[in-house]
Amino acid sequence: METGSPGGVGTTGVGTTAAGPEWIGLPPGLLRMRRLLLAVWLGLAAVGAGLLLGLLAGPAWATFALLPLAGIGWGWVLLGRNWHSWRYAERADDLLISRGVLWREETVVPYGRMQLVEVTSGPVERHFGLASVQLHTAAAATDATIPGLDPAEAERLRDRLTRLGEARSAGL
């Protein structure tokens, strides 16, 4: 059972309640960015397909350009469900990352196994004020990413995970 808001930013405190870990959802800026990119790319595809089919095959064939527009509606819903499924929780000894709609995937990253924690932000992410936290561990299969965070939250999380990782790895 979850106690945090899976769709919005919860508290940044660490804790596990009697009901389970305190889950933190991704901020809505990630959803806005992904939906805008979907609309732009599929909108351009619809215009290009309509012009190309209209000029080469005739106006009746240009109606097939409506298919990318239908893809926008379908993708809009799927992006919302995907965004809603992402969440993370900071516990005393590890970080939990949960995602997935049909196939749920939950990654547990022990603090003592973290080798590198980095914050990345590409040009589109920077434009929307977002950053991602990427965790690298000794086992490549457990590398994990938390996308679409506020840059201040990403830096706070990086600093905290680095500090906890150094403290936990000292005993190994």
Side-chain angles (χ1 to χ4, degrees):
M1 180 179 283
E2 61 190 66
T3 58
S5 170
V9 178
T11 63
T12 58
V14 177
T16 302
T17 63
E22 186 175 331
W23 290 102
I24 301 169
L26 299 181
L30 178 66
L31 180 61
R32 282 192 299 272
M33 178 190 76
R34 288 182 173 174
R35 283 180 169 171
L36 179 66
L37 290 174
L38 172 78
V40 166
W41 285 111
L42 287 182
L44 289 173
V47 169
L51 289 174
L52 190 63
L53 287 172
L55 292 174
L56 297 177
W61 286 93
T63 58
F64 282 104
L66 296 176
L67 290 176
L69 295 179
I72 291 174
W74 184 56
W76 195 272
V77 172
L78 292 181
L79 285 173
R81 290 183 64 192
N82 178 269
W83 169 78
H84 191 70
S85 75
W86 275 87
R87 58 193 184 160
Y88 66 97
E90 300 173 60
R91 297 194 305 184
D93 296 321
D94 50 29
L95 178 74
L96 300 175
I97 302 171
S98 180
R99 64 190 172 279
V101 177
L102 292 177
W103 286 273
R104 199 100 184 113
E105 184 176 332
E106 191 166 292
T107 304
V108 179
V109 184
Y111 297 135
R113 298 291 182 192
M114 290 182 201
Q115 292 182 333
L116 174 68
V117 181
E118 62 183 346
V119 175
T120 60
S121 185
V124 176
E125 285 179 311
R126 277 194 309 274
H127 179 75
F128 283 90
L130 302 172
S132 297
V133 173
Q134 187 167 6
L135 311 162
H136 300 279
T137 63
T142 58
D143 287 357
T145 302
I146 303 173
L149 296 174
D150 178 66
E153 170 65 7
E155 290 176 14
R156 183 207 63 84
L157 189 59
R158 178 200 59 207
D159 294 344
R160 182 180 188 309
L161 295 176
T162 301
R163 191 172 52 254
L164 286 169
E166 289 171 353
R168 298 294 195 284
S169 66
L172 293 178

